[in-house]
Amino acid sequence: MPFADYQNGIYLQALSGNPPEFPMAYAELEAKAVAALPASLQSFIGGGAGDEFTQRRNVEAFAEWGLVPRMLAGATQRDLTVELFGHTYASPLFMAPVGVIGLVPEDHHGDIAVARAAAKTGVPAMFSTLMEDPLEEVIAHTGDTPAFFQLYTPKNRDVAASLVGRAERAGYRAIAVTLDAWITGWRPRDLATGNFPQLRGHVLRNYTSDPVFRTLVDSDDPRDVVPVWAPMFGNSLSWSDLEWLRALTDLPLVLKGICHPDDARRAIDHGVDGIYCSNHGGRQANGGLSTLECLPGIVEACDGRVPVLFDSGVRSGTDLIKALGLGATMVGVGRPYVYGLALGGASGVEHVLRMMLAEADLLMAVNGYPDIASVRANMRRVTAVS
């Protein structure tokens, strides 16, 4: 079924007196979700580093690229399928890791709700190390949709190896190692609320359920767990660590946070299987380029040798198409699906994913693009003169 058919269902339901349950535009989605969330989660999900220049830039950069319509192209069928690590996906959209999703619904099983949305839509999720439910229990709800595991590499190598091994045995399809969050960036909104969920014992179930971590602290009491977890969490990795990380698993290894072409080339030379171009949604470092501005250089450096994953600033189906046009293999969405989760659990997430895919599909149809290659052939800078 074409992704565009989602809008037909909405119109037909409205004819029967059933208007949409969830917002159709990102601004309204965000406003309603923020109103529904406690202040601590509002700041953690919505906030960025410093004065949030980079966070804003992530979003604004999409406006600097446009798509040239091609008529009489007969794009009645659109092909958005992509292949990643041996699996074919119906679309290039995935859910980026967000470390507090477990806390978003009232029942604090947000990771499982996201897994259920993945199962319903076929859109894969990359789950954070920071979960409210153990990684084995979460993946059990993803159905036939693959899932990926994001690793915050702890200083304790035995704990790191245990987390990776558990993810592999549980059936996750890749390990994405985050490089830019070994220390917390300057986040004024979180600081203003004194909010750091992990220090309150939240989203640490992958640690407290881990057999190696339990040898260090055999307790679920945050007063016991947090003093052991906190000094272990942040590991500032170096190139010499990649050989060890590569040896931990047979799964594809992806490096998340790569924004410089030289780093991408060097990572590939070290044997990684994928590059994830991301600046953590502007939450970690302020004053930098948007991820979208970095993407073309990363794609050129990878030169088709490994897939390029991308996130930061994606708010719509149009953004999804533009990121594909600049060469991304798969495109991650973050805040929008979390806001859907806040408003309606798994159903809210499913709505956001289907809404974005419908917009992307319709954009391709109207512009005369039958496939991703045609999108890439018709991307232009808005200020360019041809």
Side-chain angles (χ1 to χ4, degrees):
M1 182 179 72
F3 297 120
D5 284 354
Y6 187 56
Q7 78 164 0
N8 297 334
I10 292 171
Y11 285 134
L12 289 172
Q13 286 292 316
L15 288 175
S16 302
N18 299 305
E21 180 181 2
F22 303 112
M24 304 305 302
Y26 175 74
E28 184 183 359
L29 177 78
E30 180 184 36
K32 288 191 172 183
V34 167
L37 288 166
S40 59
L41 288 179
Q42 288 176 20
S43 67
F44 199 94
I45 296 166
D51 70 356
E52 301 182 354
F53 167 84
T54 299
Q55 180 170 298
R56 293 191 300 275
R57 183 67 190 150
N58 280 338
V59 175
E60 293 165 357
F62 284 92
E64 296 176 9
W65 290 90
L67 298 156
V68 180
R70 303 302 300 270
M71 296 296 100
L72 303 172
T76 55
Q77 303 291 326
R78 281 83 58 196
D79 182 9
L80 275 167
T81 59
V82 296
E83 185 172 317
L84 182 72
F85 305 137
H87 185 88
T88 300
Y89 295 86
S91 86
L93 184 65
F94 73 96
M95 288 179 276
V98 179
V100 297
I101 57 174
L103 298 174
V104 172
E106 289 186 5
D107 65 4
H108 283 191
H109 292 296
D111 303 289
I112 288 175
V114 168
R116 288 173 174 158
K120 290 288 292 293
T121 61
V123 175
M126 182 178 288
F127 291 97
S128 173
T129 302
L130 300 171
M131 293 183 184
E132 276 291 278
D133 290 290
L135 60 92
E136 294 88 353
E137 294 181 20
V138 171
I139 198 173
H141 295 271
T142 59
D144 295 329
T145 304
F148 314 120
F149 183 72
Q150 174 270 338
L151 178 70
Y152 286 119
T153 311
K155 291 187 178 76
N156 185 309
R157 285 193 166 195
D158 292 334
V159 173
S162 183
L163 289 169
V164 170
R166 288 171 59 197
E168 184 168 6
R169 290 190 298 274
Y172 290 84
R173 300 293 186 89
I175 304 293
V177 179
T178 291
L179 305 174
D180 61 357
W182 61 273
I183 191 171
T184 304
W186 182 256
R187 303 175 184 174
R189 288 205 225 180
D190 285 343
L191 290 164
T193 59
N195 176 53
F196 199 85
Q198 297 92 304
L199 295 183
R200 300 174 187 272
H202 298 304
V203 297
L204 300 181
R205 284 291 289 138
N206 280 330
Y207 298 92
T208 59
S209 64
D210 189 84
V212 175
F213 187 86
R214 298 290 294 200
T215 66
L216 305 175
V217 51
D218 191 14
S219 173
D220 294 315
D221 188 330
R223 292 170 296 183
D224 300 323
V225 172
V226 171
V228 176
W229 172 84
M232 179 194 302
F233 176 75
N235 190 346
S236 179
L237 298 171
S238 64
W239 292 107
S240 61
D241 292 310
L242 288 185
E243 183 178 356
W244 162 69
L245 284 167
R246 175 68 283 175
L248 290 181
T249 180
D250 292 328
L251 290 175
L253 184 68
V254 178
L255 296 188
K256 181 177 183 289
I258 299 289
C259 290
H260 195 290
D262 289 347
D263 290 342
R265 295 186 190 96
R266 190 171 181 182
I268 295 169
D269 290 343
H270 275 76
V272 305
D273 303 290
I275 298 297
Y276 192 154
C277 183
S278 169
N279 64 20
H280 221 93
R283 286 185 50 73
Q284 278 293 87
N286 195 37
L289 296 172
S290 70
T291 310
L292 195 72
E293 290 170 293
C294 299
L295 178 60
I298 295 297
V299 171
E300 182 180 4
C302 291
D303 194 27
R305 292 178 291 170
V306 299
V308 176
L309 284 69
F310 168 89
D311 75 18
S312 301
V314 176
R315 300 291 183 264
S316 67
T318 298
D319 293 345
L320 164 62
I321 292 298
K322 289 183 179 182
L324 290 176
L326 291 178
T329 307
M330 291 194 80
V331 178
V333 59
R335 288 179 176 93
Y337 87 79
V338 181
Y339 290 143
L341 178 65
L343 292 180
S347 296
V349 176
E350 182 181 349
H351 164 72
V352 169
L353 300 177
R354 293 196 188 282
M355 177 174 67
M356 293 183 70
L357 288 171
E359 181 185 0
D361 191 20
L362 287 162
L363 180 64
M364 291 181 67
V366 173
N367 277 352
Y369 303 155
D371 52 31
I372 295 171
S374 58
V375 174
R376 291 173 179 164
N378 291 287
M379 283 283 292
R380 302 288 188 275
R381 278 199 177 275
V382 170
T383 54
V385 177
S386 59

